[in-house]
Amino acid sequence: MHDPISTLGFVCNRLDRHSAEQPEEAVPPLDAPDTRLLILGGDRFLLREGTAIHVATTALLHAVERTETVFLGHWDGRPVFAASIPTDELPTLEGTENRSLDLRSIATDGVVAPEELGLLAVAKSMLDWHGRNRFCANCGAPSFTAAGGFRRECRACNAHHFPRVDPVVIMLVRRGETCLLGRGPHFRPHMFSCLAGFLEPGETIEDAVRREVYEETKIRVGAVSYRTSQPWPFPSSLMLGCVAEALDGEIVTDPTEIEDARWFDREAVSAMLMGTHPDGILSPPPMAIAHFLMRQFVEG
């Protein structure tokens, strides 16, 4: 039986992950036999014939300057590293066999296999984290990579820093036979989606759902139930998909929070998912958790 969650981008991943708990000797050399390498320049991965997994040949390792290299773990028993390179170096690797593409496009267009897409999410999140944490948050001194890239250490104050994940609630709010969808000013034209927002310190998932919905639409929410989650490597979030029950129906949008919000019935949401809405209103792509929540609503 088909699992609808498997259609979500970034959720499938057969990486045997490395971690900061493993000893330093568990990190293989970059030129170890059968090593695989992911290359990220800016926000674009280097692709070759529908894959971003390259054999780490000597020629490839010496072709460009790497600004950061992280050992991700093992993929089908082979060591896998991810490396970031200066954006202007990427064209030197492109040609008739290689091209580059940003991760959003790779995910939306299904350029690589679902399992590989999950691997790219790990690579991008890890490399982005290193790029933003060059200095110790405790004392401001330069920090250095350790544990294959799963930790950064400060030699000045001995602080250890670890990759972080930012939790985000994303919720489909129901009221009878309708659901609440909105659009932010940054959305592509005509697209409506589920409301979403970051959790705040000391906040439960349920309270974050209620707060975000009220802040954006002044709709009060009662019961909240969890559905599923999705890694979202832009730069490193975890989307927590929920369904919530509205206690009232009058929408008052805050233009600093959201551009528009409306109640849609099942027929309208179904048309959005199929791309046949009479007003041209669109849904997020199937790889997005909002699409999954909207489809669940349509299916009852």
Side-chain angles (χ1 to χ4, degrees), residues 3-27:
D3 178 7
I5 295 177
S6 66
T7 64
L8 295 179
F10 315 116
V11 301
C12 298
N13 195 345
R14 63 175 186 264
L15 175 69
D16 181 9
R17 295 170 181 263
H18 185 62
S19 77
E21 305 303 318
Q22 298 184 38
E24 291 293 339
E25 54 266 27
V27 180

PDB file of all heavy atoms in Angstrom, residues 3-27:
ATOM      1  N   ASP A   3       2.370   4.677   0.822  1.00  0.00           N
ATOM      2  CA  ASP A   3       2.422   5.526   2.003  1.00  0.00           C
ATOM      3  C   ASP A   3       2.491   6.979   1.546  1.00  0.00           C
ATOM      4  O   ASP A   3       3.503   7.384   0.965  1.00  0.00           O
ATOM      5  CB  ASP A   3       3.644   5.165   2.844  1.00  0.00           C
ATOM      6  CG  ASP A   3       3.782   6.038   4.078  1.00  0.00           C
ATOM      7  OD1 ASP A   3       2.860   6.831   4.352  1.00  0.00           O
ATOM      8  OD2 ASP A   3       4.813   5.937   4.754  1.00  0.00           O
ATOM      9  N   PRO A   4       1.443   7.801   1.803  1.00  0.00           N
ATOM     10  CA  PRO A   4       1.462   9.180   1.304  1.00  0.00           C
ATOM     11  C   PRO A   4       2.583  10.014   1.898  1.00  0.00           C
ATOM     12  O   PRO A   4       3.040  10.978   1.275  1.00  0.00           O
ATOM     13  CB  PRO A   4       0.081   9.722   1.716  1.00  0.00           C
ATOM     14  CG  PRO A   4      -0.367   8.841   2.827  1.00  0.00           C
ATOM     15  CD  PRO A   4       0.205   7.491   2.520  1.00  0.00           C
ATOM     16  N   ILE A   5       3.058   9.656   3.078  1.00  0.00           N
ATOM     17  CA  ILE A   5       4.142  10.421   3.693  1.00  0.00           C
ATOM     18  C   ILE A   5       5.431  10.275   2.876  1.00  0.00           C
ATOM     19  O   ILE A   5       6.273  11.170   2.863  1.00  0.00           O
ATOM     20  CB  ILE A   5       4.349   9.970   5.152  1.00  0.00           C
ATOM     21  CG1 ILE A   5       3.102  10.302   5.982  1.00  0.00           C
ATOM     22  CG2 ILE A   5       5.573  10.632   5.770  1.00  0.00           C
ATOM     23  CD1 ILE A   5       3.183   9.836   7.413  1.00  0.00           C
ATOM     24  N   SER A   6       5.576   9.148   2.171  1.00  0.00           N
ATOM     25  CA  SER A   6       6.797   8.925   1.394  1.00  0.00           C
ATOM     26  C   SER A   6       6.938   9.899   0.231  1.00  0.00           C
ATOM     27  O   SER A   6       8.007  10.028  -0.351  1.00  0.00           O
ATOM     28  CB  SER A   6       6.827   7.488   0.864  1.00  0.00           C
ATOM     29  OG  SER A   6       5.778   7.273  -0.090  1.00  0.00           O
ATOM     30  N   THR A   7       5.861  10.603  -0.125  1.00  0.00           N
ATOM     31  CA  THR A   7       5.937  11.588  -1.200  1.00  0.00           C
ATOM     32  C   THR A   7       6.527  12.906  -0.733  1.00  0.00           C
ATOM     33  O   THR A   7       6.842  13.767  -1.550  1.00  0.00           O
ATOM     34  CB  THR A   7       4.541  11.846  -1.807  1.00  0.00           C
ATOM     35  OG1 THR A   7       3.686  12.431  -0.811  1.00  0.00           O
ATOM     36  CG2 THR A   7       3.918  10.557  -2.307  1.00  0.00           C
ATOM     37  N   LEU A   8       6.652  13.091   0.585  1.00  0.00           N
ATOM     38  CA  LEU A   8       7.201  14.333   1.108  1.00  0.00           C
ATOM     39  C   LEU A   8       8.692  14.425   0.803  1.00  0.00           C
ATOM     40  O   LEU A   8       9.426  13.435   0.903  1.00  0.00           O
ATOM     41  CB  LEU A   8       6.990  14.426   2.619  1.00  0.00           C
ATOM     42  CG  LEU A   8       5.549  14.506   3.113  1.00  0.00           C
ATOM     43  CD1 LEU A   8       5.515  14.569   4.633  1.00  0.00           C
ATOM     44  CD2 LEU A   8       4.840  15.709   2.520  1.00  0.00           C
ATOM     45  N   GLY A   9       9.130  15.613   0.454  1.00  0.00           N
ATOM     46  CA  GLY A   9      10.543  15.813   0.195  1.00  0.00           C
ATOM     47  C   GLY A   9      11.368  15.702   1.462  1.00  0.00           C
ATOM     48  O   GLY A   9      10.934  16.116   2.544  1.00  0.00           O
ATOM     49  N   PHE A  10      12.561  15.108   1.351  1.00  0.00           N
ATOM     50  CA  PHE A  10      13.587  15.053   2.391  1.00  0.00           C
ATOM     51  C   PHE A  10      13.315  14.032   3.499  1.00  0.00           C
ATOM     52  O   PHE A  10      14.129  13.905   4.414  1.00  0.00           O
ATOM     53  CB  PHE A  10      13.813  16.435   3.045  1.00  0.00           C
ATOM     54  CG  PHE A  10      13.917  17.566   2.066  1.00  0.00           C
ATOM     55  CD1 PHE A  10      12.986  18.595   2.050  1.00  0.00           C
ATOM     56  CD2 PHE A  10      14.948  17.617   1.138  1.00  0.00           C
ATOM     57  CE1 PHE A  10      13.070  19.640   1.153  1.00  0.00           C
ATOM     58  CE2 PHE A  10      15.056  18.656   0.235  1.00  0.00           C
ATOM     59  CZ  PHE A  10      14.111  19.669   0.241  1.00  0.00           C
ATOM     60  N   VAL A  11      12.188  13.302   3.474  1.00  0.00           N
ATOM     61  CA  VAL A  11      11.883  12.389   4.585  1.00  0.00           C
ATOM     62  C   VAL A  11      12.515  11.016   4.399  1.00  0.00           C
ATOM     63  O   VAL A  11      12.712  10.295   5.379  1.00  0.00           O
ATOM     64  CB  VAL A  11      10.362  12.242   4.800  1.00  0.00           C
ATOM     65  CG1 VAL A  11       9.723  13.583   5.091  1.00  0.00           C
ATOM     66  CG2 VAL A  11       9.686  11.575   3.611  1.00  0.00           C
ATOM     67  N   CYS A  12      12.803  10.612   3.169  1.00  0.00           N
ATOM     68  CA  CYS A  12      13.416   9.303   2.907  1.00  0.00           C
ATOM     69  C   CYS A  12      14.932   9.441   2.947  1.00  0.00           C
ATOM     70  O   CYS A  12      15.494  10.303   2.270  1.00  0.00           O
ATOM     71  CB  CYS A  12      12.979   8.750   1.554  1.00  0.00           C
ATOM     72  SG  CYS A  12      11.209   8.462   1.420  1.00  0.00           S
ATOM     73  N   ASN A  13      15.584   8.584   3.726  1.00  0.00           N
ATOM     74  CA  ASN A  13      17.030   8.719   3.856  1.00  0.00           C
ATOM     75  C   ASN A  13      17.599   7.425   4.425  1.00  0.00           C
ATOM     76  O   ASN A  13      17.227   7.019   5.527  1.00  0.00           O
ATOM     77  CB  ASN A  13      17.369   9.890   4.788  1.00  0.00           C
ATOM     78  CG  ASN A  13      18.822  10.318   4.691  1.00  0.00           C
ATOM     79  OD1 ASN A  13      19.654   9.596   4.161  1.00  0.00           O
ATOM     80  ND2 ASN A  13      19.112  11.501   5.212  1.00  0.00           N
ATOM     81  N   ARG A  14      18.481   6.761   3.702  1.00  0.00           N
ATOM     82  CA  ARG A  14      19.098   5.540   4.209  1.00  0.00           C
ATOM     83  C   ARG A  14      20.542   5.771   4.660  1.00  0.00           C
ATOM     84  O   ARG A  14      21.343   4.827   4.745  1.00  0.00           O
ATOM     85  CB  ARG A  14      19.011   4.416   3.173  1.00  0.00           C
ATOM     86  CG  ARG A  14      19.732   4.647   1.865  1.00  0.00           C
ATOM     87  CD  ARG A  14      19.636   3.372   1.008  1.00  0.00           C
ATOM     88  NE  ARG A  14      20.413   3.453  -0.203  1.00  0.00           N
ATOM     89  CZ  ARG A  14      19.940   3.811  -1.385  1.00  0.00           C
ATOM     90  NH1 ARG A  14      18.664   4.138  -1.493  1.00  0.00           N
ATOM     91  NH2 ARG A  14      20.724   3.834  -2.451  1.00  0.00           N
ATOM     92  N   LEU A  15      20.863   7.004   4.991  1.00  0.00           N
ATOM     93  CA  LEU A  15      22.189   7.331   5.503  1.00  0.00           C
ATOM     94  C   LEU A  15      22.385   6.731   6.897  1.00  0.00           C
ATOM     95  O   LEU A  15      21.550   6.907   7.784  1.00  0.00           O
ATOM     96  CB  LEU A  15      22.357   8.853   5.576  1.00  0.00           C
ATOM     97  CG  LEU A  15      23.660   9.360   6.209  1.00  0.00           C
ATOM     98  CD1 LEU A  15      24.846   9.051   5.295  1.00  0.00           C
ATOM     99  CD2 LEU A  15      23.573  10.872   6.488  1.00  0.00           C
ATOM    100  N   ASP A  16      23.470   6.007   7.072  1.00  0.00           N
ATOM    101  CA  ASP A  16      23.905   5.562   8.395  1.00  0.00           C
ATOM    102  C   ASP A  16      24.748   6.703   8.962  1.00  0.00           C
ATOM    103  O   ASP A  16      25.928   6.828   8.677  1.00  0.00           O
ATOM    104  CB  ASP A  16      24.711   4.264   8.278  1.00  0.00           C
ATOM    105  CG  ASP A  16      25.161   3.730   9.629  1.00  0.00           C
ATOM    106  OD1 ASP A  16      24.701   4.262  10.670  1.00  0.00           O
ATOM    107  OD2 ASP A  16      25.994   2.816   9.648  1.00  0.00           O
ATOM    108  N   ARG A  17      24.124   7.527   9.774  1.00  0.00           N
ATOM    109  CA  ARG A  17      24.723   8.804  10.167  1.00  0.00           C
ATOM    110  C   ARG A  17      25.933   8.653  11.087  1.00  0.00           C
ATOM    111  O   ARG A  17      25.950   7.810  11.978  1.00  0.00           O
ATOM    112  CB  ARG A  17      23.690   9.674  10.898  1.00  0.00           C
ATOM    113  CG  ARG A  17      22.525  10.120  10.052  1.00  0.00           C
ATOM    114  CD  ARG A  17      21.458  10.748  10.930  1.00  0.00           C
ATOM    115  NE  ARG A  17      20.308  11.179  10.160  1.00  0.00           N
ATOM    116  CZ  ARG A  17      20.110  12.422   9.725  1.00  0.00           C
ATOM    117  NH1 ARG A  17      20.984  13.353  10.019  1.00  0.00           N
ATOM    118  NH2 ARG A  17      19.040  12.733   9.021  1.00  0.00           N
ATOM    119  N   HIS A  18      26.879   9.532  10.873  1.00  0.00           N
ATOM    120  CA  HIS A  18      27.947   9.742  11.838  1.00  0.00           C
ATOM    121  C   HIS A  18      27.375  10.619  12.952  1.00  0.00           C
ATOM    122  O   HIS A  18      26.278  11.174  12.826  1.00  0.00           O
ATOM    123  CB  HIS A  18      29.136  10.419  11.154  1.00  0.00           C
ATOM    124  CG  HIS A  18      30.330  10.571  12.040  1.00  0.00           C
ATOM    125  ND1 HIS A  18      30.989   9.495  12.583  1.00  0.00           N
ATOM    126  CD2 HIS A  18      30.973  11.689  12.492  1.00  0.00           C
ATOM    127  CE1 HIS A  18      31.995   9.930  13.316  1.00  0.00           C
ATOM    128  NE2 HIS A  18      32.008  11.245  13.288  1.00  0.00           N
ATOM    129  N   SER A  19      28.096  10.759  14.062  1.00  0.00           N
ATOM    130  CA  SER A  19      27.636  11.628  15.139  1.00  0.00           C
ATOM    131  C   SER A  19      28.820  12.093  15.963  1.00  0.00           C
ATOM    132  O   SER A  19      29.920  11.526  15.877  1.00  0.00           O
ATOM    133  CB  SER A  19      26.630  10.912  16.044  1.00  0.00           C
ATOM    134  OG  SER A  19      27.288  10.020  16.920  1.00  0.00           O
ATOM    135  N   ALA A  20      28.567  13.094  16.800  1.00  0.00           N
ATOM    136  CA  ALA A  20      29.620  13.626  17.665  1.00  0.00           C
ATOM    137  C   ALA A  20      29.980  12.659  18.781  1.00  0.00           C
ATOM    138  O   ALA A  20      30.981  12.853  19.476  1.00  0.00           O
ATOM    139  CB  ALA A  20      29.169  14.961  18.255  1.00  0.00           C
ATOM    140  N   GLU A  21      29.167  11.607  18.976  1.00  0.00           N
ATOM    141  CA  GLU A  21      29.445  10.628  20.032  1.00  0.00           C
ATOM    142  C   GLU A  21      30.489   9.602  19.603  1.00  0.00           C
ATOM    143  O   GLU A  21      31.004   8.864  20.447  1.00  0.00           O
ATOM    144  CB  GLU A  21      28.145   9.912  20.418  1.00  0.00           C
ATOM    145  CG  GLU A  21      27.013  10.841  20.822  1.00  0.00           C
ATOM    146  CD  GLU A  21      27.403  11.749  21.975  1.00  0.00           C
ATOM    147  OE1 GLU A  21      28.061  11.259  22.916  1.00  0.00           O
ATOM    148  OE2 GLU A  21      27.067  12.945  21.927  1.00  0.00           O
ATOM    149  N   GLN A  22      30.781   9.529  18.321  1.00  0.00           N
ATOM    150  CA  GLN A  22      31.734   8.540  17.838  1.00  0.00           C
ATOM    151  C   GLN A  22      33.156   9.094  17.923  1.00  0.00           C
ATOM    152  O   GLN A  22      33.372  10.305  17.827  1.00  0.00           O
ATOM    153  CB  GLN A  22      31.394   8.150  16.400  1.00  0.00           C
ATOM    154  CG  GLN A  22      30.012   7.504  16.261  1.00  0.00           C
ATOM    155  CD  GLN A  22      29.734   7.053  14.854  1.00  0.00           C
ATOM    156  OE1 GLN A  22      30.620   6.557  14.168  1.00  0.00           O
ATOM    157  NE2 GLN A  22      28.490   7.214  14.410  1.00  0.00           N
ATOM    158  N   PRO A  23      34.147   8.222  18.103  1.00  0.00           N
ATOM    159  CA  PRO A  23      35.530   8.691  18.234  1.00  0.00           C
ATOM    160  C   PRO A  23      36.055   9.287  16.936  1.00  0.00           C
ATOM    161  O   PRO A  23      35.560   8.985  15.850  1.00  0.00           O
ATOM    162  CB  PRO A  23      36.291   7.422  18.622  1.00  0.00           C
ATOM    163  CG  PRO A  23      35.456   6.303  18.075  1.00  0.00           C
ATOM    164  CD  PRO A  23      34.033   6.763  18.208  1.00  0.00           C
ATOM    165  N   GLU A  24      37.095  10.092  17.070  1.00  0.00           N
ATOM    166  CA  GLU A  24      37.668  10.746  15.897  1.00  0.00           C
ATOM    167  C   GLU A  24      38.180   9.729  14.874  1.00  0.00           C
ATOM    168  O   GLU A  24      38.115   9.964  13.668  1.00  0.00           O
ATOM    169  CB  GLU A  24      38.814  11.678  16.316  1.00  0.00           C
ATOM    170  CG  GLU A  24      38.382  12.913  17.092  1.00  0.00           C
ATOM    171  CD  GLU A  24      37.567  13.885  16.258  1.00  0.00           C
ATOM    172  OE1 GLU A  24      37.650  13.826  15.008  1.00  0.00           O
ATOM    173  OE2 GLU A  24      36.848  14.707  16.844  1.00  0.00           O
ATOM    174  N   GLU A  25      38.666   8.582  15.349  1.00  0.00           N
ATOM    175  CA  GLU A  25      39.190   7.577  14.419  1.00  0.00           C
ATOM    176  C   GLU A  25      38.092   6.919  13.590  1.00  0.00           C
ATOM    177  O   GLU A  25      38.394   6.187  12.640  1.00  0.00           O
ATOM    178  CB  GLU A  25      39.993   6.509  15.166  1.00  0.00           C
ATOM    179  CG  GLU A  25      39.257   5.836  16.291  1.00  0.00           C
ATOM    180  CD  GLU A  25      39.510   6.498  17.649  1.00  0.00           C
ATOM    181  OE1 GLU A  25      39.805   7.715  17.662  1.00  0.00           O
ATOM    182  OE2 GLU A  25      39.422   5.793  18.663  1.00  0.00           O
ATOM    183  N   ALA A  26      36.821   7.186  13.930  1.00  0.00           N
ATOM    184  CA  ALA A  26      35.717   6.660  13.123  1.00  0.00           C
ATOM    185  C   ALA A  26      35.530   7.440  11.831  1.00  0.00           C
ATOM    186  O   ALA A  26      34.801   7.005  10.940  1.00  0.00           O
ATOM    187  CB  ALA A  26      34.410   6.675  13.932  1.00  0.00           C
ATOM    188  N   VAL A  27      36.196   8.595  11.720  1.00  0.00           N
ATOM    189  CA  VAL A  27      36.101   9.405  10.506  1.00  0.00           C
ATOM    190  C   VAL A  27      37.150   8.916   9.510  1.00  0.00           C
ATOM    191  O   VAL A  27      38.352   9.012   9.763  1.00  0.00           O
ATOM    192  CB  VAL A  27      36.334  10.897  10.807  1.00  0.00           C
ATOM    193  CG1 VAL A  27      36.235  11.723   9.526  1.00  0.00           C
ATOM    194  CG2 VAL A  27      35.333  11.394  11.842  1.00  0.00           C
TER     195      VAL A  27
END
